[in-house]
Amino acid sequence: MDTIFTLKIILLLIMLFSALIGFAKWSDFKYERRQNRRNLEERINNLQTTRRLTSEELELITPYLTNKKLVKPYKLQSSLVNSEVSIIEGDCVRHSLYTDSKETEFYYKIDGIEVLFPYHLQLFALDYNVVEVVFTSRYAIAVSFNGYGLDTLADFSDNSNDENNKYGLSFFSNLSRTIKEEEYQLLEPYLNDPSMVGPYEHGPSLVSPTVSVIVGSCIAINQSNKRNDPIYTYRIGDTVVFFPYDMEQYVEDINIVQVVFTEHYAIVVKLNQYDLKTAQQNQKQPNLKPHFAKPWESQKAEVEFEQNLTDANDSIIKIDKDTELKSKFTCEIVEQREETPLESANRSKKNNGIFAAVFLVVAAMLFAKYWYSFDSFLPVFIALSLSATAFFYFRKAESYTLDVNHIKTKIRHKNDIKNQMIVGDDLTLKYPAYWAPFLPDKTNENIDMDIVANSKKLLRYGNSLSISREIEEFGPPKFIMRNLILFVTALILSISIFKLVNITDNLTLASYPFNDHVSIWNIKDAESLKNSPIKKGDLVNIKLNGASCNAQSNMYLEHCDKVFINEQTANNAEDASFENDLLYAFFGDKLIETARDNDVTELEKQLNNRKNTDYNEDYQFGVILTKLLHIDRIILTVDESCQLLDEDKCRRAKQILLQTIKPTASTLDQWPQLVEYSKQHPNYEKIIVAGMLEHLEPQINNLKRSVLSYYLEKANTALTDYQHSAQSVGLALANTQEIKISYPDDEDISLTETYYNALLGKGGKVKVSGLVTGVNYQSDNTILDLTINDDFLYRFHQEQLLSFNSPIFIGISIFIITALIALLHGITICYKLIANRQRKNKIIKSYENKIT
């Protein structure tokens, strides 16, 4: 197998592996969607409601029940299951619908249920969410989200194509609406009177009547040097905002703010749940701008701004940790320690086999180069690579222990698909998949847990679930990653080397360093070849005469897929003899010769003047004449040819000759009479109409081909019998390659002579060297035929092949190593998978008996 074929196999395996990964991802996606449907059906069947849907809410979600464009890419559902409102809680996760999804093709999921958010309510997502929903048969529709109702953004439209204004603001999902008349009237005092805006640079008019949404924490900036009576301006993100009617009193840690813009700052229209009208009614003393205590930070000049909020289509809202709401959940670290030997046994103590696999691949690549180049230094590097493979294979991984934290905390949310749960403030822990049925979705009390500090893996949950106890009772799990890496690598290399080295043909040759069963034969005569005890796996150098191509497969000896060696004269050689004079007449000098002399031109003139006394119907007025020479030779050659052939092949040629070249005014009208006349009148000539040659020449050519075919068929039959006689030896090359027969350069012989010389034991010369891959014997133990692989390796490095440096010996050794590695690790993988499955079943059964 050449390098290209090896690369094709490797590429095919990679494509197959990629297809399996793609199929696995697609299966996971389909499984997750089905699980979502089951979760929804279970929730509907066990529905716990808090209230009924109001008429205003029903009116607001009606467009999402009738217009499929609004719910895209969700599938439109035209009705609700009922009008009852339920509550679901958890983190809000966005999932892609397709592996190559567009930016809008995703769905949201909370607590295992797919949720549709009307009016971009997903923009109010937090790390932990409380959602009021109503259900359709496929998904839930959010009615309120973290306290924000449908009416919060119902007036807004999505202007995602609008350019950012000159303030460079990052808008909240590019949502906007037109300011209401009532809102504008309430803002007019602040637009008309500069004293109303305090330290802000007065903006006398709005840039546009568009109301936009920004989000973030509010930072108060002291603009005065007087500490007793500070004057503040405010920022949300990068935006300078002005609070009319003392709306800063409604500021929270994180704010959803509706604003309009002047040239210098943004004016707040609505802050969280408070609008201008509510703020006007509850306004404090005029122009009193108190400093916000915590959680804001007062600064004189430069302010650390909160990171701008990214577009909601990009990700679920994530708030900066520095401005995050104080969690209602805590995670208390009771103790820190190192893992125990039992906990440590849950990790593989062996190296992952990558370095061993890499050096095994390097050894195989060096061998492939050695196979084609025979560089004497390469075996040293191959040995070093195999030694490195053994070193890294048997090398033990460094022993280390991990830090373990003993904590007390509550479970906030559990995700059985990812086998993760969120505890404490925002700590994500991984747990074994088989623990999922025994872990609660959330807890109201703190639970003792042991976790691996760096990888956040759960080692113990309370007094019920424990990795240490599992290992103590059922032993540690079996780890297969190392086995899998080495199995795949060794399997691919085994297939590649098997094809490259051609193990079936070279197994005998590779064993030479341990025995003397391989011989090198130098054959220079046919008798030695016939009687030599050559066997499969030997190396031969053959240089012989008397070679002829396989006559049985090709009459014209143009291709030599197999040759026969025979230097003895055939008993039936005379059967293939041929008439030299006849063939010479056809193929030597030109059989049909013509001339235009004075006799021809004079006769043409007489015909034109109607003065020819011998005028007959052959000579018409204005015809072109020519003189046909040596007519007797044409007649006798055709007659001799017709004696070899069937009458049907000669009839037409005889008729044309009788009509064309019989003597003028002669009464000869039979072929024997014409032949007899030709014998009595050698070298006679006749002037004929030149056009008659167009009929005569094709018939002569047909006879020529028929005569040649006749002699070749006789010779081929005789040569076939000769080549399959007892004294002949057949030679063929492996892989159906052709053998070249050479003839002396000074000999220029015809095809029929080639046949005849072969029958006389005077065939061409053949030179073949290589490995004997097949040999057949006759009943008297003489060789009947040989098949030889004449690869470069077997022709020029025969002596070196019979040593420990032989690429065949090295190749088979590497094949044995890789095949054993693949076999060993393949069996080990199967054993470990079965053992792990049995272990897991025992653990689950044990927990089922203990945990009710």
Side-chain angles (χ1 to χ4, degrees):
M1 180 179 68
D2 57 15
T3 305
I4 298 299
F5 186 68
T6 304
L7 292 175
K8 287 181 178 179
I9 291 179
I10 296 174
L11 181 60
L12 180 62
L13 291 173
I14 293 174
M15 292 175 62
L16 179 61
F17 186 66
S18 301
L20 290 175
I21 293 177
F23 178 75
K25 289 184 177 180
W26 178 83
S27 299
D28 289 343
F29 168 75
K30 298 298 289 184
Y31 173 79
E32 182 175 355
R33 298 302 300 276
R34 287 194 298 268
Q35 184 63 41
N36 294 344
R37 288 291 299 277
R38 287 193 290 267
N39 294 340
L40 178 64
E41 292 171 359
E42 182 179 353
R43 182 62 66 95
I44 293 174
N45 293 334
N46 301 287
L47 191 62
Q48 296 180 359
T49 63
T50 58
R51 63 180 178 86
R52 293 184 65 83
L53 191 68
T54 65
S55 59
E56 293 80 6
E57 290 171 332
L58 179 60
E59 183 179 355
L60 287 171
I61 67 172
T62 297
Y64 292 86
L65 297 173
T66 57
N67 189 337
K68 65 180 180 180
K69 290 184 179 180
L70 289 179
V71 301
K72 188 178 180 181
Y74 291 78
K75 186 174 182 180
L76 178 66
Q77 295 294 286
S78 60
S79 63
L80 301 175
V81 172
N82 54 49
S83 58
E84 299 297 322
V85 178
S86 300
I87 293 178
I88 58 176
E89 301 178 51
D91 58 335
C92 184
V93 183
R94 190 182 77 177
H95 291 269
S96 172
L97 283 174
Y98 311 103
T99 55
D100 57 348
S101 66
K102 299 178 182 178
E103 201 61 31
T104 58
E105 294 182 342
F106 52 82
Y107 68 89
Y108 295 100
K109 187 170 72 172
I110 297 177
D111 197 19
I113 296 175
E114 296 181 19
V115 181
L116 170 66
F117 290 99
Y119 304 108
H120 302 282
L121 283 179
Q122 73 272 14
L123 302 177
F124 301 106
L126 300 173
D127 287 342
Y128 190 82
N129 306 274
V130 179
V131 195
E132 287 189 312
V133 296
V134 289
F135 294 104
T136 70
S137 60
R138 285 185 174 270
Y139 46 80
I141 300 178
V143 176
S144 72
F145 194 32
N146 294 325
Y148 295 93
L150 294 170
D151 58 341
T152 305
L153 297 175
D155 295 332
F156 285 82
S157 60
D158 188 349
N159 297 317
S160 57
N161 293 325
D162 291 350
E163 296 181 357
N164 291 339
N165 64 32
K166 63 182 179 181
Y167 298 97
L169 299 174
S170 177
F171 287 104
F172 197 37
S173 189
N174 297 307
L175 298 178
S176 64
R177 65 174 175 85
T178 303
I179 191 171
K180 300 176 182 177
E181 181 64 28
E182 180 184 7
E183 293 171 331
Y184 184 77
Q185 290 176 1
L186 290 170
L187 292 180
E188 274 190 323
Y190 296 91
L191 296 174
N192 297 330
D193 188 355
S195 64
M196 296 286 288
V197 297
Y200 291 83
E201 184 178 355
H202 182 244
S205 62
L206 300 179
V207 173
S208 73
T210 301
V211 178
S212 302
V213 179
I214 58 177
V215 65
S217 60
C218 185
I219 299 174
I221 304 172
N222 188 357
Q223 300 291 341
S224 173
N225 292 327
K226 299 178 182 179
R227 294 188 177 182
N228 294 331
D229 188 18
I231 299 173
Y232 297 101
T233 58
Y234 304 96
R235 288 180 183 270
I236 295 178
D238 290 339
T239 308
V240 179
V241 296
F242 173 74
F243 292 101
Y245 300 108
D246 298 329
M247 292 183 75
E248 61 268 26
Q249 63 184 304
Y250 306 120
V251 166
E252 297 177 0
D253 290 352
I254 301 298
N255 306 276
I256 308 295
V257 191
Q258 299 180 23
V259 296
V260 289
F261 293 96
T262 70
E263 292 182 356
H264 305 297
Y265 52 82
I267 302 179
V268 176
V269 175
K270 187 174 183 180
L271 175 61
N272 298 323
Q273 300 297 321
Y274 301 93
D275 56 15
L276 290 169
K277 187 174 182 180
T278 303
Q280 184 189 40
Q281 294 172 354
N282 300 328
Q283 186 178 16
K284 299 179 182 179
Q285 298 178 10
N287 300 325
L288 182 61
K289 303 294 180 183
H291 168 61
F292 301 136
K294 61 178 183 178
W296 300 336
E297 203 177 311
S298 175
Q299 299 182 11
K300 175 76 176 173
E302 295 186 2
V303 179
E304 262 186 45
F305 297 127
E306 177 194 16
Q307 182 179 357
N308 289 343
L309 187 69
T310 57
D311 187 275
N313 285 341
D314 235 1
S315 63
I316 296 299
I317 301 174
K318 299 295 180 185
I319 305 302
D320 192 287
K321 295 295 182 183
D322 295 335
T323 59
E324 193 172 30
L325 287 173
K326 186 176 180 181
S327 175
K328 298 179 181 178
F329 296 87
T330 59
C331 182
E332 178 187 357
I333 300 178
V334 178
E335 178 189 4
Q336 291 182 323
R337 61 177 176 83
E338 290 186 348
E339 63 182 354
T340 65
L342 287 177
E343 291 169 340
S344 177
N346 200 46
R347 294 182 289 107
S348 175
K349 298 301 186 297
K350 294 183 178 180
N351 63 78
N352 57 17
I354 290 179
F355 285 108
V358 168
F359 279 100
L360 190 61
V361 172
V362 170
M365 294 175 65
L366 290 173
F367 166 71
K369 182 175 178 61
Y370 182 54
W371 180 269
Y372 291 107
S373 67
F374 224 101
D375 189 334
S376 58
F377 291 101
L378 287 177
V380 177
F381 293 108
I382 293 172
L384 291 175
S385 298
L386 291 176
S387 300
T389 300
F391 171 78
F392 285 107
Y393 182 82
F394 293 106
R395 183 180 66 91
K396 293 183 178 180
E398 294 182 4
S399 178
Y400 64 94
T401 57
L402 300 176
D403 293 331
V404 176
N405 289 343
H406 176 197
I407 64 174
K408 284 188 175 183
T409 187
K410 299 181 180 69
I411 297 177
R412 295 172 55 190
H413 175 68
K414 180 165 70 85
N415 187 333
D416 288 341
I417 295 176
K418 295 182 178 180
N419 299 319
Q420 295 176 347
M421 62 182 185
I422 299 175
V423 302
D425 296 329
D426 191 14
L427 179 62
T428 301
L429 299 179
K430 302 174 185 176
Y431 58 83
Y434 54 86
W435 281 16
F438 310 108
L439 287 171
D441 291 336
K442 59 183 177 179
T443 59
N444 297 321
E445 297 179 356
N446 287 336
I447 306 296
D448 280 337
M449 302 181 192
D450 285 345
I451 64 171
V452 178
N454 64 340
S455 59
K456 305 297 188 296
K457 290 183 178 180
L458 188 61
L459 295 178
R460 181 180 63 84
Y461 174 81
N463 295 319
S464 55
L465 304 173
S466 172
I467 293 293
S468 297
R469 188 185 307 145
E470 293 174 8
I471 295 175
E472 185 176 4
E473 293 182 13
F474 305 103
K478 311 293 183 182
F479 304 99
I480 68 168
M481 181 55 65
R482 177 174 183 265
N483 305 106
L484 182 61
I485 291 173
L486 291 171
F487 168 73
V488 173
T489 303
L491 180 63
I492 295 174
L493 293 179
S494 297
I495 296 173
S496 303
I497 294 173
F498 183 87
K499 294 293 186 180
L500 177 64
V501 180
N502 195 359
I503 302 295
T504 54
D505 288 339
N506 290 321
L507 195 57
T508 304
L509 189 61
S511 65
Y512 180 82
F514 306 103
N515 58 60
D516 296 329
H517 292 167
V518 177
S519 301
I520 299 177
W521 300 91
N522 295 298
I523 307 298
K524 295 185 178 181
D525 64 87
E527 187 67 22
S528 298
L529 176 62
K530 186 70 178 177
N531 296 290
S532 296
I534 298 173
K535 59 185 178 300
K536 183 178 179 180
D538 285 350
L539 296 167
V540 296
N541 299 302
I542 297 175
K543 187 176 181 181
L544 296 172
N545 294 323
S548 58
C549 285
N550 186 7
Q552 191 174 24
S553 63
N554 195 328
M555 179 182 293
Y556 297 100
L557 305 181
E558 294 178 353
H559 303 286
C560 291
D561 58 332
K562 184 176 183 179
V563 302
F564 289 88
I565 308 297
N566 197 335
E567 294 181 343
Q568 300 183 25
T569 302
N571 296 328
N572 57 347
E574 294 303 321
D575 295 342
S577 61
F578 50 89
E579 184 59 52
N580 277 325
D581 293 340
L582 178 60
L583 292 178
Y584 179 78
F586 273 124
F587 297 97
D589 296 335
K590 189 174 181 181
L591 184 61
I592 298 178
E593 293 186 67
T594 59
R596 283 183 58 83
D597 54 13
N598 293 332
D599 295 338
V600 174
T601 56
E602 182 64 28
L603 180 57
E604 285 179 345
K605 290 179 181 179
Q606 294 178 8
L607 289 174
N608 292 336
N609 296 326
R610 303 285 183 168
K611 295 180 179 180
N612 184 9
T613 55
D614 293 330
Y615 179 83
N616 60 41
E617 61 183 3
D618 292 336
Y619 303 135
Q620 300 294 331
F621 174 76
V623 298
I624 297 176
L625 304 179
T626 187
K627 180 180 288 185
L628 183 62
L629 307 177
H630 311 298
I631 295 176
D632 59 304
R633 188 174 65 183
I634 297 174
I635 300 297
L636 295 177
T637 300
V638 170
D639 184 65
E640 186 176 358
S641 300
C642 290
Q643 294 178 20
L644 303 175
L645 307 175
D646 296 336
E647 181 62 27
D648 292 339
K649 295 182 179 180
C650 296
R651 182 179 296 109
R652 181 59 179 163
K654 290 179 179 180
Q655 290 176 354
I656 293 175
L657 286 171
L658 281 170
Q659 296 172 3
T660 303
I661 61 177
K662 66 180 181 179
T664 305
S666 173
T667 59
L668 297 177
D669 55 3
Q670 298 295 324
W671 179 256
Q673 296 174 340
L674 186 59
V675 171
E676 188 63 29
Y677 181 87
S678 297
K679 291 179 179 179
Q680 296 175 3
H681 300 82
N683 296 320
Y684 77 88
E685 305 166 345
K686 182 186 177 185
I687 297 175
I688 63 172
V689 177
M692 294 300 295
L693 293 177
E694 296 179 2
H695 302 285
L696 179 61
E697 288 179 343
Q699 295 302 319
I700 296 299
N701 291 332
N702 288 340
L703 280 178
K704 182 192 302 184
R705 286 191 292 269
S706 297
V707 169
L708 179 60
S709 178
Y710 170 80
Y711 281 120
L712 288 178
E713 189 172 350
K714 282 183 59 179
N716 191 268
T717 300
L719 187 58
T720 299
D721 295 339
Y722 174 69
Q723 290 176 341
H724 289 82
S725 62
Q727 64 268 25
S728 296
V729 178
L731 291 179
L733 296 183
N735 305 319
T736 65
Q737 297 184 48
E738 295 183 356
I739 300 178
K740 182 179 179 181
I741 297 178
S742 60
Y743 296 93
D745 295 335
D746 56 349
E747 292 187 14
D748 185 13
I749 58 176
S750 65
L751 186 58
T752 51
E753 290 175 318
T754 300
Y755 269 99
Y756 193 64
N757 288 342
L759 290 169
L760 296 178
K762 301 176 181 178
K765 296 179 180 179
V766 65
K767 184 178 180 181
V768 180
S769 297
L771 174 71
V772 177
T773 59
V775 56
N776 292 321
Y777 296 94
Q778 298 185 121
S779 57
D780 58 356
N781 293 326
T782 58
I783 294 177
L784 179 62
D785 54 58
L786 292 174
T787 301
I788 300 171
N789 188 338
D790 69 337
D791 188 87
F792 175 84
L793 186 70
Y794 306 123
R795 284 185 284 142
F796 298 101
H797 302 284
Q798 292 183 350
E799 295 294 339
Q800 292 168 284
L801 290 179
L802 306 181
S803 67
F804 285 103
N805 287 337
S806 168
I808 297 172
F809 175 75
I810 295 175
I812 292 182
S813 300
I814 295 177
F815 169 75
I816 292 173
I817 293 172
T818 55
L820 288 176
I821 292 175
L823 179 63
L824 173 63
H825 288 279
I827 294 173
T828 304
I829 289 172
C830 294
Y831 161 73
K832 287 185 176 181
L833 289 174
I834 295 172
N836 283 340
R837 184 176 184 85
Q838 292 175 345
R839 176 181 182 271
K840 186 178 73 172
N841 292 338
K842 291 178 181 178
I843 293 173
I844 293 173
K845 187 175 181 180
S846 174
Y847 284 140
E848 288 174 347
N849 294 334
K850 294 177 182 179
I851 302 175
T852 58

